[in-house]
Amino acid sequence: MPSVARAPLIVGSGIAGLYVALRCQEEGLRPVVITKSTIEESNTRYAQGGIAAAVGPDDSPRLHERDTIRAGDGLVDVGAARLLAEEAPLRIADLVRFGVPFDTVHGQVALGREAAHSRDRILHAGGDATGLQIEETLKRRVLDAGVQIRERSSLRRLVPKADGHLTAVIGRADGGAADELDPSCVVLATGGAGALYRESSNPSIATGEGVAIAARAGALICDMEFIQFHPTAFYRPGAPRFLITEAIRGEGAVIRNAEGHRFLPQFHPDAELAPRDVVARAIHNELVRSGDPCVFLDATALPRHRLFARFPTVCRTLAGYALDPSRDRIPVTPVAHYMIGGVASDHDGRSTVPGLLVCGEVAATGVHGANRLASNSLLEGLVFGERVVRQLLHPVAGAPAAPGRQETVAWSRGAGDVGSAEDSRAIAERLWVDVGITRDARGLARAQRAFTALGRRLEPRDERTPPSVLANAALVAALVTRAASLRTESRGAHYRADYPRRAGAWRLHLGLRLRS
Ligand code: SIN
């Protein structure tokens, strides 16, 4: 039996989910939030760099918009980029109102620089603990406001109903009986899929389930070939990769190979501050050339007090490995970081499925084009989250614009096998090797065969049985691979060794739908 009548259901508790929850509560909508781990566990928590907004005296939303469009390599939805840049200062004001303690210098908000930004416009809090500060502040406000939160509860399935609403099937991590909710609307804010890759900056919960569930409910999925790789995560065999924020390069740190040579200037005039895809690929090429497992981030020319004041999280974590960045070069390697694509969405969060709104990393608004500008991701959660709230308050019919090209992905019922940790490792390895920083037709075909075979084994036998986490992972991996195989060019975060140039005919978004 439905247990909640006509309240919005928000799925996910990162910046987008918590912001939407808080704003809904302020507007009297009394939402229910479900989150598959605890309220505070999300990608947001680990975001070091910060949040971009044109609030500096020498900056303007137009410049922020222009940088976003440039980084996006010909595919940015210009309307979405304008909204992002124009509404950014308002959303920062919301965060200040909620109590986020942004760092200041002489009473003015401190602004940092990151790759491909033409101005200092990155706000940060707690130095490099921006995501943590935002997550903790929003969490406190959501709890104080009495928002209904269900932790360790995950969305398993969305069932479209004839009246244009969705039934949400919710499972519990403790294995308790699944139940069904009958919300006024479902807001997916489930984040990305970086954790599916062997090398990743994401927490283990970032497995792209929102995309899989929306796709099964009939949603159009867009831009999945664009997985953004971050150039610098800490490398130590057997140790977890943790991000070494790009802001350190913004402060002047450089990248060197094992011989101490600074190789990035030969790839791009902006060297270490070139767009992220360029830097990640240059490092990848250097690692392939040298056979080394890592390169080195050299911040030793920066004043020690500045490093420790500005990047306390990074310095503290490195100290655990007996490294001091003012003295030691930091071993780094690229990792999967951000899912640019996701559930196709218009500027107000509407997907192609009635009753399903999306925001944050799970949404594909086109705002990032083929390559996201640094520190636009926390921002996107707020800007498009606010637009989702307005859509909930004053619903207007609409849907995302049709992408330039639409294809289907065959995905049928399977044997309903539960799968194993070995399957999960196989997905991670295959994605990293064949659908990683550099791709080609042969590797993509191999990956496609592997994911299709996994799907046949892991998909439930009947449509009433909710798919497992692994079945969802196999589906998301298959969607990324299919999109990457179809796009026979290189653009932004998607690089094909067999099609190394941009192709004019591919200046379009690619949408995928499941065909069973
Ligand atoms: C970073 O701190 O380098 C990551 C920021 C981002 O992904 O936007």
mmCIF file of all heavy atoms in Angstrom, residues 47-50 114 228 230 232 243-247 249 276 337-338 372-378, ligand 1:
data_model
loop_
_atom_site.group_PDB
_atom_site.id
_atom_site.type_symbol
_atom_site.label_atom_id
_atom_site.label_comp_id
_atom_site.label_asym_id
_atom_site.label_seq_id
_atom_site.Cartn_x
_atom_site.Cartn_y
_atom_site.Cartn_z
ATOM 1 N N ALA A 47 34.059 16.846 -2.288
ATOM 2 C CA ALA A 47 34.449 17.892 -3.243
ATOM 3 C C ALA A 47 35.394 18.872 -2.560
ATOM 4 O O ALA A 47 35.044 19.502 -1.569
ATOM 5 C CB ALA A 47 33.215 18.617 -3.758
ATOM 6 N N GLN A 48 36.596 18.984 -3.090
ATOM 7 C CA GLN A 48 37.595 19.842 -2.455
ATOM 8 C C GLN A 48 37.627 21.237 -3.066
ATOM 9 O O GLN A 48 37.726 22.242 -2.383
ATOM 10 C CB GLN A 48 38.995 19.224 -2.622
ATOM 11 C CG GLN A 48 39.188 17.935 -1.894
ATOM 12 C CD GLN A 48 40.543 17.314 -2.221
ATOM 13 O OE1 GLN A 48 41.405 17.926 -2.829
ATOM 14 N NE2 GLN A 48 40.715 16.078 -1.805
ATOM 15 N N GLY A 49 37.569 21.249 -4.416
ATOM 16 C CA GLY A 49 37.891 22.473 -5.145
ATOM 17 C C GLY A 49 37.036 23.642 -4.737
ATOM 18 O O GLY A 49 37.524 24.674 -4.273
ATOM 19 N N GLY A 50 35.739 23.518 -4.880
ATOM 20 C CA GLY A 50 34.876 24.612 -4.506
ATOM 21 C C GLY A 50 33.698 24.753 -5.430
ATOM 22 O O GLY A 50 33.273 23.800 -6.070
ATOM 23 N N GLU A 114 40.832 27.957 -10.968
ATOM 24 C CA GLU A 114 41.015 26.567 -11.405
ATOM 25 C C GLU A 114 41.105 26.545 -12.914
ATOM 26 O O GLU A 114 40.851 27.555 -13.586
ATOM 27 C CB GLU A 114 39.870 25.673 -10.896
ATOM 28 C CG GLU A 114 39.992 25.383 -9.413
ATOM 29 C CD GLU A 114 38.893 24.505 -8.855
ATOM 30 O OE1 GLU A 114 38.011 24.081 -9.624
ATOM 31 O OE2 GLU A 114 38.911 24.254 -7.647
ATOM 32 N N GLN A 228 34.118 12.319 -17.254
ATOM 33 C CA GLN A 228 35.264 13.201 -17.055
ATOM 34 C C GLN A 228 36.290 12.551 -16.122
ATOM 35 O O GLN A 228 35.933 12.055 -15.053
ATOM 36 C CB GLN A 228 34.799 14.523 -16.447
ATOM 37 C CG GLN A 228 35.913 15.538 -16.360
ATOM 38 C CD GLN A 228 35.398 16.895 -15.945
ATOM 39 O OE1 GLN A 228 34.798 17.042 -14.882
ATOM 40 N NE2 GLN A 228 35.631 17.898 -16.765
ATOM 41 N N HIS A 230 39.610 13.045 -13.829
ATOM 42 C CA HIS A 230 40.367 14.091 -13.127
ATOM 43 C C HIS A 230 41.849 13.751 -13.229
ATOM 44 O O HIS A 230 42.236 12.599 -13.043
ATOM 45 C CB HIS A 230 39.934 14.156 -11.658
ATOM 46 C CG HIS A 230 40.405 15.392 -10.960
ATOM 47 N ND1 HIS A 230 41.727 15.585 -10.620
ATOM 48 C CD2 HIS A 230 39.741 16.497 -10.551
ATOM 49 C CE1 HIS A 230 41.839 16.773 -10.023
ATOM 50 N NE2 HIS A 230 40.649 17.338 -9.970
ATOM 51 N N THR A 232 44.484 14.425 -11.342
ATOM 52 C CA THR A 232 45.395 14.195 -10.217
ATOM 53 C C THR A 232 44.701 13.609 -8.992
ATOM 54 O O THR A 232 44.097 14.328 -8.203
ATOM 55 C CB THR A 232 46.091 15.520 -9.816
ATOM 56 O OG1 THR A 232 45.087 16.499 -9.532
ATOM 57 C CG2 THR A 232 47.004 16.043 -10.910
ATOM 58 N N LEU A 243 41.416 12.577 -4.118
ATOM 59 C CA LEU A 243 41.640 13.678 -5.037
ATOM 60 C C LEU A 243 42.695 14.651 -4.493
ATOM 61 O O LEU A 243 42.703 14.945 -3.304
ATOM 62 C CB LEU A 243 40.311 14.418 -5.210
ATOM 63 C CG LEU A 243 40.204 15.254 -6.460
ATOM 64 C CD1 LEU A 243 40.048 14.347 -7.665
ATOM 65 C CD2 LEU A 243 39.007 16.187 -6.363
ATOM 66 N N ILE A 244 43.550 15.116 -5.390
ATOM 67 C CA ILE A 244 44.430 16.238 -5.052
ATOM 68 C C ILE A 244 43.888 17.396 -5.885
ATOM 69 O O ILE A 244 44.059 17.447 -7.097
ATOM 70 C CB ILE A 244 45.899 15.945 -5.430
ATOM 71 C CG1 ILE A 244 46.383 14.620 -4.817
ATOM 72 C CG2 ILE A 244 46.775 17.116 -5.010
ATOM 73 C CD1 ILE A 244 46.604 14.639 -3.328
ATOM 74 N N THR A 245 43.226 18.289 -5.209
ATOM 75 C CA THR A 245 42.428 19.294 -5.914
ATOM 76 C C THR A 245 43.223 20.104 -6.946
ATOM 77 O O THR A 245 44.383 20.484 -6.729
ATOM 78 C CB THR A 245 41.748 20.253 -4.911
ATOM 79 O OG1 THR A 245 41.059 21.266 -5.639
ATOM 80 C CG2 THR A 245 42.750 20.918 -3.972
ATOM 81 N N GLU A 246 42.510 20.390 -8.027
ATOM 82 C CA GLU A 246 43.026 21.207 -9.113
ATOM 83 C C GLU A 246 43.427 22.609 -8.623
ATOM 84 O O GLU A 246 44.258 23.286 -9.226
ATOM 85 C CB GLU A 246 41.866 21.331 -10.104
ATOM 86 C CG GLU A 246 42.180 21.886 -11.403
ATOM 87 C CD GLU A 246 41.137 21.420 -12.414
ATOM 88 O OE1 GLU A 246 40.987 20.206 -12.626
ATOM 89 O OE2 GLU A 246 40.488 22.285 -12.995
ATOM 90 N N ALA A 247 42.801 23.013 -7.510
ATOM 91 C CA ALA A 247 43.093 24.353 -6.984
ATOM 92 C C ALA A 247 44.567 24.480 -6.610
ATOM 93 O O ALA A 247 45.123 25.589 -6.590
ATOM 94 C CB ALA A 247 42.208 24.635 -5.770
ATOM 95 N N ARG A 249 46.992 23.342 -8.417
ATOM 96 C CA ARG A 249 47.597 23.819 -9.675
ATOM 97 C C ARG A 249 47.229 25.278 -9.901
ATOM 98 O O ARG A 249 48.023 26.063 -10.419
ATOM 99 C CB ARG A 249 47.139 22.940 -10.846
ATOM 100 C CG ARG A 249 47.965 21.659 -10.960
ATOM 101 C CD ARG A 249 47.463 20.779 -12.079
ATOM 102 N NE ARG A 249 46.308 20.017 -11.670
ATOM 103 C CZ ARG A 249 45.208 19.846 -12.387
ATOM 104 N NH1 ARG A 249 45.098 20.417 -13.568
ATOM 105 N NH2 ARG A 249 44.222 19.123 -11.930
ATOM 106 N N ARG A 276 40.520 20.225 -18.269
ATOM 107 C CA ARG A 276 40.814 18.992 -17.539
ATOM 108 C C ARG A 276 41.056 17.788 -18.449
ATOM 109 O O ARG A 276 41.916 16.957 -18.173
ATOM 110 C CB ARG A 276 39.615 18.730 -16.639
ATOM 111 C CG ARG A 276 39.858 17.767 -15.572
ATOM 112 C CD ARG A 276 38.678 17.738 -14.664
ATOM 113 N NE ARG A 276 38.755 18.793 -13.667
ATOM 114 C CZ ARG A 276 37.834 18.973 -12.717
ATOM 115 N NH1 ARG A 276 36.806 18.179 -12.663
ATOM 116 N NH2 ARG A 276 37.965 19.921 -11.834
ATOM 117 N N HIS A 337 35.991 10.666 -12.603
ATOM 118 C CA HIS A 337 35.638 11.683 -11.600
ATOM 119 C C HIS A 337 34.178 12.119 -11.688
ATOM 120 O O HIS A 337 33.516 12.265 -10.668
ATOM 121 C CB HIS A 337 36.563 12.881 -11.814
ATOM 122 C CG HIS A 337 36.383 13.998 -10.841
ATOM 123 N ND1 HIS A 337 36.495 13.820 -9.478
ATOM 124 C CD2 HIS A 337 36.122 15.327 -11.028
ATOM 125 C CE1 HIS A 337 36.306 14.981 -8.867
ATOM 126 N NE2 HIS A 337 36.061 15.903 -9.785
ATOM 127 N N TYR A 338 33.672 12.308 -12.897
ATOM 128 C CA TYR A 338 32.355 12.961 -13.013
ATOM 129 C C TYR A 338 31.618 12.459 -14.256
ATOM 130 O O TYR A 338 32.217 12.351 -15.329
ATOM 131 C CB TYR A 338 32.554 14.484 -13.104
ATOM 132 C CG TYR A 338 31.267 15.243 -13.179
ATOM 133 C CD1 TYR A 338 30.576 15.595 -12.031
ATOM 134 C CD2 TYR A 338 30.713 15.572 -14.411
ATOM 135 C CE1 TYR A 338 29.377 16.271 -12.104
ATOM 136 C CE2 TYR A 338 29.514 16.253 -14.490
ATOM 137 C CZ TYR A 338 28.851 16.601 -13.337
ATOM 138 O OH TYR A 338 27.674 17.260 -13.414
ATOM 139 N N ARG A 372 33.194 19.258 -18.546
ATOM 140 C CA ARG A 372 32.730 20.185 -17.508
ATOM 141 C C ARG A 372 33.852 21.106 -17.029
ATOM 142 O O ARG A 372 34.966 20.661 -16.762
ATOM 143 C CB ARG A 372 32.193 19.392 -16.314
ATOM 144 C CG ARG A 372 31.767 20.255 -15.140
ATOM 145 C CD ARG A 372 31.179 19.418 -14.032
ATOM 146 N NE ARG A 372 32.146 18.507 -13.465
ATOM 147 C CZ ARG A 372 32.998 18.815 -12.497
ATOM 148 N NH1 ARG A 372 33.019 20.039 -11.990
ATOM 149 N NH2 ARG A 372 33.838 17.918 -12.027
ATOM 150 N N LEU A 373 33.505 22.373 -16.895
ATOM 151 C CA LEU A 373 34.435 23.351 -16.309
ATOM 152 C C LEU A 373 34.528 23.073 -14.802
ATOM 153 O O LEU A 373 33.509 22.843 -14.135
ATOM 154 C CB LEU A 373 33.884 24.754 -16.558
ATOM 155 C CG LEU A 373 34.746 25.943 -16.151
ATOM 156 C CD1 LEU A 373 36.022 26.025 -16.979
ATOM 157 C CD2 LEU A 373 33.955 27.245 -16.311
ATOM 158 N N ALA A 374 35.753 23.120 -14.274
ATOM 159 C CA ALA A 374 35.969 22.823 -12.852
ATOM 160 C C ALA A 374 35.052 23.664 -11.966
ATOM 161 O O ALA A 374 34.788 24.830 -12.248
ATOM 162 C CB ALA A 374 37.424 23.118 -12.502
ATOM 163 N N SER A 375 34.576 23.042 -10.911
ATOM 164 C CA SER A 375 33.761 23.689 -9.874
ATOM 165 C C SER A 375 32.397 24.180 -10.365
ATOM 166 O O SER A 375 31.737 24.979 -9.688
ATOM 167 C CB SER A 375 34.533 24.815 -9.160
ATOM 168 O OG SER A 375 35.497 24.218 -8.318
ATOM 169 N N ASN A 376 31.967 23.692 -11.514
ATOM 170 C CA ASN A 376 30.593 23.951 -11.955
ATOM 171 C C ASN A 376 29.632 22.861 -11.472
ATOM 172 O O ASN A 376 28.434 22.965 -11.710
ATOM 173 C CB ASN A 376 30.515 24.015 -13.488
ATOM 174 C CG ASN A 376 30.640 25.450 -14.006
ATOM 175 O OD1 ASN A 376 30.665 26.397 -13.220
ATOM 176 N ND2 ASN A 376 30.725 25.608 -15.316
ATOM 177 N N SER A 377 30.141 21.811 -10.813
ATOM 178 C CA SER A 377 29.227 20.709 -10.497
ATOM 179 C C SER A 377 28.422 20.954 -9.218
ATOM 180 O O SER A 377 27.215 20.722 -9.194
ATOM 181 C CB SER A 377 29.971 19.379 -10.418
ATOM 182 O OG SER A 377 31.035 19.485 -9.518
ATOM 183 N N LEU A 378 29.075 21.437 -8.152
ATOM 184 C CA LEU A 378 28.275 21.769 -6.961
ATOM 185 C C LEU A 378 27.248 22.836 -7.350
ATOM 186 O O LEU A 378 26.092 22.803 -6.947
ATOM 187 C CB LEU A 378 29.182 22.285 -5.839
ATOM 188 C CG LEU A 378 30.163 21.277 -5.222
ATOM 189 C CD1 LEU A 378 31.062 21.964 -4.206
ATOM 190 C CD2 LEU A 378 29.439 20.109 -4.568
HETATM 191 C C1 SIN B 1 38.978 19.605 -7.827
HETATM 192 O O1 SIN B 1 38.983 20.055 -6.702
HETATM 193 O O2 SIN B 1 39.985 19.521 -8.510
HETATM 194 C C2 SIN B 1 37.688 19.086 -8.385
HETATM 195 C C3 SIN B 1 36.761 20.177 -8.645
HETATM 196 C C4 SIN B 1 35.715 19.737 -9.619
HETATM 197 O O3 SIN B 1 35.619 18.564 -9.947
HETATM 198 O O4 SIN B 1 35.003 20.609 -10.116
#
